[in-house]
Amino acid sequence: MDLQKLRREFTSNGLSRTQMDKNPFVQFEQWIKQASDADLTLPNAMSLATSDADEVSLRTVLLKSFDEQGFVFFTNYNSKKSRQIKSNPNAALLFPWLDLERQVKISGRVEKISTLDSIKYFSSRPKDSQLGAWASNQSSELSSRQALLMQFEAMKSKFKQGEVPLPDFWGGYRVVPHRIEFWQGRENRLHDRLVYLKQGENWAIERLAP
């Protein structure tokens, strides 16, 4: 397969500073709503990059909430991503809305959200998803899929009655951004890149070369 022949010319009208809201979270809300209205598959899916002294890791997770404090996702606190976050609390996010010829790139520090907020989200999940959180020792070696399914059935039996409690090893993280870039594809690969940089309590906007 000749990957060099895979080309697409971007044709959007582009971005100007005057179009961008002064608040990057307001701008992000506009873009993710437009991605949702365009019926993109999982517009809240984002690539999450973490690292430690040995390696950089990348995976896709789902954004579950955001506000001016940051961007929240949930995971197992014993997972590889969590171990890397403990070692190095700096991370990056990428929203690849390529059908809209757009990307959003976010860099910031990661912190755990409150247990109460984790409980609120966990209780809103379907019961089988709650049981799945209990059943999976995320990122650990697994002998077979059958072993995982057996553990799931064991959790189903254990929590047959009543509500499924929040595991003490599961919850949310918040990426508190210091940099948010909005990328819009343009013709001739002369893309528009406008980046918000945190300066004290305010945000400055700069244009970057593509």
Side-chain angles (χ1 to χ4, degrees), residues 1-186:
M1 182 177 181
D2 188 354
L3 298 179
Q4 296 183 15
K5 292 182 178 179
L6 293 180
R7 286 188 170 274
R8 170 175 169 173
E9 189 65 32
F10 296 108
T11 59
S12 83
N13 292 325
L15 296 177
S16 68
R17 288 196 189 194
T18 58
Q19 292 175 306
M20 307 294 285
D21 196 278
K22 293 181 179 180
N23 185 324
F25 299 100
V26 173
Q27 185 64 44
F28 180 82
E29 183 172 20
Q30 292 174 3
W31 272 30
I32 196 169
K33 183 179 186 304
Q34 290 168 7
S36 178
D37 290 345
D39 291 327
L40 300 189
T41 301
L42 292 176
N44 62 326
M46 58 187 185
S47 299
L48 166 66
T50 56
S51 66
D52 56 22
D54 297 320
E55 66 176 319
V56 177
S57 298
L58 184 68
R59 77 288 290 164
T60 300
V61 297
L62 296 179
L63 177 70
K64 287 301 180 180
S65 67
F66 71 94
D67 55 25
E68 294 201 11
Q69 295 183 70
F71 300 83
V72 174
F73 65 93
F74 292 85
T75 191
N76 186 309
Y77 285 146
N78 296 323
S79 65
K80 181 174 182 178
K81 70 176 78 66
S82 296
R83 294 195 301 270
Q84 288 189 320
I85 287 169
K86 185 176 181 180
S87 173
N88 174 17
N90 297 294
L93 306 173
L94 172 67
F95 292 85
W97 298 321
L98 300 183
D99 285 349
L100 297 181
E101 302 178 351
R102 287 177 172 176
Q103 300 179 75
V104 177
K105 298 189 287 183
I106 298 166
S107 300
R109 290 183 64 82
V110 187
E111 62 184 24
K112 283 185 177 180
I113 68 173
S114 71
T115 301
L116 179 59
D117 285 340
S118 289
I119 290 173
K120 287 180 180 177
Y121 171 70
F122 188 79
S123 64
S124 74
R125 302 181 91 202
K127 187 171 183 178
D128 281 353
S129 294
Q130 295 174 341
L131 295 171
W134 277 97
S136 175
N137 185 13
Q138 193 176 107
S139 300
S140 65
E141 186 175 349
L142 191 62
S143 61
S144 67
R145 179 165 182 82
Q146 186 59 32
L148 177 63
L149 296 178
M150 288 175 62
Q151 183 65 8
F152 180 79
E153 291 301 322
M155 293 300 104
K156 186 180 291 188
S157 176
K158 179 177 180 179
F159 298 114
K160 186 175 182 179
Q161 303 295 330
E163 296 182 355
V164 180
L166 173 74
D168 61 4
F169 54 81
W170 197 96
Y173 284 110
R174 177 184 293 109
V175 178
V176 182
H178 57 76
R179 178 187 178 97
I180 304 176
E181 179 184 329
F182 293 84
W183 182 102
Q184 181 74 64
R186 296 296 301 275

